[in-house]
DNA sequence: TATAATTTTTAGCCTAGGCTAAAATTTTAG
DNA sequence: CTAAAATTTTAGCCTAGGCTAAAAATTATA
């Protein structure tokens, strides 16, 4: 290492990562809720929590925030629904997740490992990189 | 979507992402400190904070944690040094960061975008995927 | 239908990492 | 050498998202 990049430029990289982390929970929740509704006809808190690997009290608190922010709706003690806003986000995230996962597999990563990596990577992929991932063939 | 993966399996993906996020701050700090020492002979709190895009008070608090965890050392009001443990982590992270960045550029991502994406992606790349990134040619 | 089991909510606690404001210390200039 | 400027530390506040424990509501069973 002989020279450092401009400080503001470098700061903008880290800032973008922090922004991505702020959206990440909402993204993972709505994507999961959409899948649960698609397959099981409903998204119950207990299933959401179990699949996220957190306690139901934690999931309940996050869902309260997502409801306040207009991503989900529910009646007390009933299952969770996506708003239009939530469904749109879920669709985008699901498409992005699939592109990242399939890219890794085409690259030669084992499907098991690809699942682990994709779950984190998906939130840090720019539109430019995503387009390249999408096009990529072996 | 017609079927969901096993719940425990899916939960393990999310758990791994949460684990990665717990190490992320330490990784970015030690890598940056190593670079500052390499280029400017010392890592000052004000430079660290500026390059991370956070206030110096925030960086100071994080550095106190990293010192408690044995990654860095410093005397009050003096510059920051890496312990052996911190330097080893920095070296690993720097190598990984470079592999991810250069992979993205070889893939065809513009260097500017690649910098943004690499800063987040690097923390979510398994050893298996990293090895594949390293080997990849155009 | 009453009771037991399950599910969801709520309360309260914790840590990480943002922030501002102000105090303490070091460094620079006059 | 002293006063001003810059840097670092500290205090106190905030939000997100983990946790446990317990209360409340729903659902299943006897
Ligand atoms: Mn994810
Ligand atoms: Mn990073
Ligand atoms: Mn890095
Ligand atoms: Mn991340």
């Amino acid at each position: 290492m002989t020279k450092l990049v401009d400080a503001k430029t470098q700061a903008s990289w880290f800032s973008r990562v922090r922004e991505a982390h702020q959206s990440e929970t909402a993204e993972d929740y709505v994507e999961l809720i959409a899948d649960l509704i698609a397959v099981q006809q409903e998204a119950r808190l207990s299933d959401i929590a179990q699949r996220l690997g957190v306690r139901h009290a934690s999931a309940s608190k996050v869902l309260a925030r997502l409801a306040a922010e207009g991503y989900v709706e529910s009646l007390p003690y009933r299952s969770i629904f996506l708003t239009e806003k939530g469904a749109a986000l879920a669709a985008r995230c699901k498409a992005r997740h699939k592109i990242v996962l399939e890219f890794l597999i085409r690259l030669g990563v084992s499907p098991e490992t690809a699942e682990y990596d994709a779950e984190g990577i998906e939130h840090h992929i720019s539109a430019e990189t995503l387009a390249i991932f999408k096009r990529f063939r072996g």
Side-chain angles (χ1 to χ4, degrees), chain A residues 24 41 68-69 89 95 97 106-107 114 134:
Chain A
E24 174 157 351
Q41 285 72 54
E69 292 176 357
L89 180 61
H97 193 133
R106 283 198 300 271
L107 237 202
K134 194 174 179 178

Side-chain angles (χ1 to χ4, degrees), chain A residues 124-137:
Chain A
H124 301 288
I125 296 286
S126 62
E128 182 188 338
T129 301
L130 192 67
I132 291 172
F133 277 18
K134 194 174 179 178
R135 271 190 252 116
F136 179 82
R137 297 296 152 196

Side-chain angles (χ1 to χ4, degrees), chain A residues 17-130:
Chain A
V17 175
R18 287 192 296 270
E19 279 168 32
H21 286 159
Q22 283 214 289
S23 334
E24 174 157 351
T25 304
E27 293 174 354
D28 287 332
Y29 271 69
V30 298
E31 188 185 342
L32 173 58
I33 291 166
D35 283 349
L36 285 166
I37 291 173
V39 175
Q40 307 188 337
Q41 285 72 54
E42 62 172 0
R44 309 290 320 204
L45 169 69
S46 56
D47 292 324
I48 294 168
Q50 204 187 339
R51 286 182 176 276
L52 283 160
V54 299
R55 293 300 187 162
H56 52 264
S58 305
S60 184
K61 198 188 283 189
V62 170
L63 287 167
R65 173 174 72 79
L66 298 186
E69 292 176 357
Y71 293 105
V72 305
E73 285 173 332
S74 66
L75 296 170
Y77 295 95
R78 292 267 114 92
S79 66
I80 315 295
F81 297 91
L82 293 174
T83 61
E84 267 195 43
K85 177 181 171 184
L89 180 61
R92 263 183 285 135
C93 292
K94 197 172 162 52
R96 187 187 61 183
H97 193 133
K98 186 165 182 279
I99 290 168
V100 173
L101 179 64
E102 292 180 351
F103 167 78
L104 290 173
I105 291 171
R106 283 198 300 271
L107 237 202
V109 178
S110 69
E112 298 71 35
T113 300
E115 294 282 6
Y116 279 100
D117 291 5
E119 196 57 71
I121 288 174
E122 58 173 348
H123 309 281
H124 301 288
I125 296 286
S126 62
E128 182 188 338
T129 301
L130 192 67

